[in-house]
Amino acid sequence: SSELTQDPAVSVALGQAVRITCQGDSLRNYYASWYQQKPGQAPILIIYGNNNRPSGIPDRFSGSNSGNTASLTITGARTEDEADYYCGSRDRSDYRVVFGGGTKLTVL
Amino acid sequence: EVQLVESGGGLVQPGRSLRLSCTASGFTFDDHAMHWVRQRPGKGLEWVSGITWKSDNIGYADSVKGRFTISRDNAKNLLYLQMNSLRHEDTALYYCVRDRNYGVFYDMDVWGQGTTVTVSS
């Protein structure tokens, strides 16, 4: 079955930049989206269409997609960015979706 | 205010059925495809099912295909998930989610707070 692979955990020093990656064959054909989930909260969309931010999402969040790898970059990480991050994309058809396993980001 | 409110979760025995509902408000419901996404305790997100705005295209995860049925009532702004033959591994928090698009699935831009389903004898 199709899948998206993420590193389980990543850490970053306060104020530094960090990249979270997502790999999978579906990314060659479909856009990537990224979701942030804090403990006890529902996820929120932070990147759609590979590199677009919904209104209200800070511009320190950016996205890219090349080949089979999508990336989420946080420039100038803040303590409030500590969260789980999930990538998502369509999966083998226009009417199926797959999520990555999630990356837990720790801001040191 | 754009809002999705799930209901219908609870404790159910293995093999039994449950129907989840999601009430949408604050936006034009039939301008959007809709999804159910679940999260098992301590685990990641798992897409369960999605439905286009006029219900002409529906998708299911392999893990629920043949057991779960998604549907919607655009006149009442309601999304449903009929879950049959429930298994222990269906225990999860179930989110109702709005798609940014009305047809082909794109991105999920509005999430409810979820309703908990526990499958246990």
Side-chain angles (χ1 to χ4, degrees), chain A residues 76-93:
Chain A
R78 299 186 177 189
T79 54
E80 60 260 38
D81 298 334
E82 272 205 352
D84 294 325
Y85 291 86
Y86 297 91
C87 59
S89 79
R90 269 182 260 161
D91 174 30
R92 294 175 288 166
S93 90

Side-chain angles (χ1 to χ4, degrees), chain A residues 16-28:
Chain A
Q16 297 301 301
V18 62
R19 178 183 296 175
I20 297 171
T21 61
C22 172
Q23 287 189 304
D25 287 339
S26 62
L27 297 173
R28 297 184 185 278

Side-chain angles (χ1 to χ4, degrees), chain A residues 4 6 35 37 39 50 68 107:
Chain A
L4 297 177
Q6 298 182 240
Y35 304 87
Q37 186 180 34
N50 287 338
N68 73 334
V107 180

Side-chain angles (χ1 to χ4, degrees), chain B residues 23-35:
Chain B
T23 302
S25 60
F27 66 97
T28 304
F29 185 61
D30 56 9
D31 274 353
H32 296 269
M34 297 294 296
H35 304 268

Side-chain angles (χ1 to χ4, degrees), chain A residues 1 31-33 35 37 40-45 47-50 84 86 88-90 92 94-102, chain B residues 35 37 39 43-47 50 52 57-62 65 95 99-100 103-113:
Chain A
S1 62
Y31 292 129
S33 52
Y35 304 87
Q37 186 180 34
Q41 298 183 18
I44 62 169
L45 178 67
I47 296 290
Y48 67 92
N50 287 338
D84 294 325
Y86 297 91
S89 79
R90 269 182 260 161
R92 294 175 288 166
D94 290 339
Y95 305 105
R96 289 174 59 100
V97 174
V98 62
F99 289 103
Chain B
H35 304 268
V37 175
Q39 188 167 33
K43 302 299 183 183
L45 302 176
E46 180 186 13
W47 177 78
T52 53
N57 282 287
I58 287 173
Y60 295 98
D62 290 343
K65 200 166 189 177
Y95 291 105
D99 198 292
R100 283 195 316 114
V104 168
F105 298 161
Y106 264 94
D107 316 280
M108 303 179 189
D109 68 342
V110 179
W111 295 64
Q113 288 303 305

Side-chain angles (χ1 to χ4, degrees), chain A residues 46-58:
Chain A
I46 57 172
I47 296 290
Y48 67 92
N50 287 338
N51 55 12
N52 300 286
R53 283 187 314 278
S55 62
I57 301 302

